[in-house]
Amino acid sequence: VAISQDAVTLWRHAVRLDPASPIAVSNRGWALLARGELAEAVEQSERALLLRPGFAEAHLHLGLARAAQGRAAEAERHLRRALKITPRSLPAQSGLGSLLEAEGRVDEAIDHFRQALQLDPRSAGAHNNLGAALARSGRVGEALAEFSEAVRLDPSFGQAQNNLGLALAHLGRLTEALDHFQAAIRSEPGLQEAHRNLAHAQRLLGR
């Protein structure tokens, strides 16, 4: 998520105007999290929870920040708390799925990514997340379908294009894979993984 310095400044100002507002404090934490300022994001999210215990958004932000810090147990506790309060939270379902996948709990991750898609079937990110978890579990054919849907919904989604290329390459469909690696690079020129995958596929094809 791209958050400008203006957003951080905006929410800092909002907190100064109303320091007892859990919404302003939590949103400041989210802006800091999106900019990678994790310690401050944690501080603001914890403060929001002191102001409003059981505030689902603050649990979500704190869970995501703890996940980014590598504190998986704390992250899982807060993400599950957010989901208990707001079961239809797409960010919480996706965030918990990503955390579980990173922990190697892929089957559990798949369940949460499927629940995320039930909430928003048109989420390209959720389709890509599910595809990545399916591919990791060796279910490449199913992953291919999810990546294909992700790029149908958002053709400029570079990571999904790259993942679709990898799935196609795994299935021996190298010429098709090339097209998607190239599409990934057009969308995200800095996506180094796509550059490496394109070069490898070209070598295999003798190009």
Side-chain angles (χ1 to χ4, degrees):
V1 178
I3 297 289
S4 69
Q5 182 60 44
D6 287 346
V8 176
T9 302
L10 170 68
W11 288 112
R12 183 170 63 240
H13 182 63
V15 170
R16 285 175 179 167
L17 290 174
D18 187 0
S21 167
I23 294 173
V25 174
S26 180
N27 284 341
R28 184 183 178 199
W30 173 248
L32 290 162
L33 171 63
R35 288 178 57 83
E37 299 177 36
L38 301 180
E40 291 184 70
V42 166
E43 180 184 350
Q44 294 300 308
S45 299
E46 288 178 336
R47 182 180 166 196
L49 286 171
L50 288 174
L51 292 167
R52 183 186 292 177
F55 187 15
E57 184 178 90
H59 278 293
L60 168 64
H61 298 166
L62 184 52
L64 295 174
R66 287 307 195 194
Q69 290 179 322
R71 297 174 65 167
E74 278 187 73
E76 182 175 350
R77 184 170 69 252
H78 286 290
L79 290 170
R80 289 194 184 280
R81 180 61 178 158
L83 277 175
K84 185 174 182 179
I85 300 165
T86 54
R88 295 186 60 79
S89 169
L90 177 62
Q93 289 286 6
S94 297
L96 183 55
S98 295
L99 175 69
L100 293 169
E101 184 184 1
E103 290 291 295
R105 296 157 64 183
V106 181
D107 288 342
E108 292 177 75
I110 288 170
D111 287 342
H112 285 284
F113 291 142
R114 289 198 191 282
Q115 290 179 64
L117 278 174
Q118 289 176 3
L119 296 172
D120 184 4
R122 295 188 57 78
S123 169
H127 281 287
N128 184 65
N129 288 340
L130 177 56
L134 288 166
R136 185 170 176 181
S137 69
R139 296 152 69 178
V140 181
E142 292 177 68
L144 180 69
E146 297 300 332
F147 295 140
S148 296
E149 183 63 9
V151 302
R152 186 190 71 80
L153 291 166
D154 183 2
S156 67
F157 190 172
Q159 188 61 62
Q161 290 281 8
N162 179 68
N163 288 341
L164 179 53
L166 283 172
L168 288 164
H170 183 86
L171 296 172
R173 296 160 61 179
L174 286 173
T175 302
E176 293 173 78
L178 282 180
D179 293 338
H180 291 285
F181 294 142
Q182 290 166 342
I185 292 166
R186 285 194 299 272
S187 297
E188 298 182 37
L191 188 58
Q192 295 304 312
E193 182 185 358
H195 287 278
R196 290 192 296 270
N197 291 334
L198 175 61
H200 183 61
Q202 287 174 327
R203 284 196 298 273
L204 291 175
L205 288 168
R207 298 185 182 181

